[in-house]
Amino acid sequence: MREFTWSATEKKAARAAFYLALARELKATRQEAEAMLRNSSDDRVIWRLHDYLDEKRHEIDQKYDYRYSVLMLVFPRLVSEGWLKVDELAGIGTEKVDVINKLMSLRDR
């Protein structure tokens, strides 16, 4: 993948989109954890919850990498998984959004 240059405005937009997606996924994870507790009468649910949260933390830590050198691979995944919408990336520049759309179309094959 080629290197992109990021203007200050694009960096700000990228950071906002990145943290928007992260907040959405963390909220969904929290809701799932709360549902696990709410829907189980077995006190051992806490161990299943622990395992779930451990797995999610590992997944999220690997997925959310805010290095500019890899953001162009992170954003297509976040859009494909539904944590972001393409239009929420508009501030990063048309060229970058076009590349993200192309990467998503390759991903969907």
Side-chain angles (χ1 to χ4, degrees):
M1 162 134 319
R2 71 185 191 103
E3 284 290 315
F4 288 90
T5 56
W6 296 79
S7 70
T9 303
E10 291 171 335
K11 287 179 180 181
K12 185 176 180 180
R15 186 167 296 280
F18 181 89
Y19 284 110
L20 176 62
L22 178 57
R24 286 174 176 160
E25 188 159 3
L26 290 175
K27 182 177 182 179
T29 300
R30 179 183 177 144
Q31 290 172 337
E32 178 63 24
E34 289 171 346
M36 288 173 73
L37 290 170
R38 189 174 46 253
N39 297 331
S40 179
S41 60
D42 183 356
D43 290 336
R44 291 175 291 185
V45 70
I46 61 172
W47 306 125
R48 289 190 300 278
L49 177 61
H50 173 273
D51 293 343
Y52 168 75
L53 291 173
D54 187 52
E55 181 180 320
K56 287 301 287 184
R57 181 176 189 152
H58 180 71
E59 176 189 326
I60 288 170
D61 284 348
Q62 286 194 334
K63 183 188 313 184
Y64 288 87
D65 186 345
Y66 192 80
R67 291 177 293 157
Y68 293 109
S69 60
V70 296
L71 274 181
M72 294 301 292
L73 299 173
V74 172
F75 284 144
R77 180 176 179 182
L78 296 177
V79 172
S80 292
E81 291 180 4
W83 303 118
L84 275 179
K85 297 178 185 120
V86 174
D87 63 337
E88 293 171 324
L89 294 168
I92 68 169
T94 306
E95 179 186 20
K96 291 177 187 76
V97 172
D98 288 346
V99 169
I100 289 167
N101 281 322
K102 286 178 187 168
L103 290 171
M104 285 178 26
S105 69
L106 292 174
R107 186 182 187 105
D108 294 337
R109 286 184 184 182

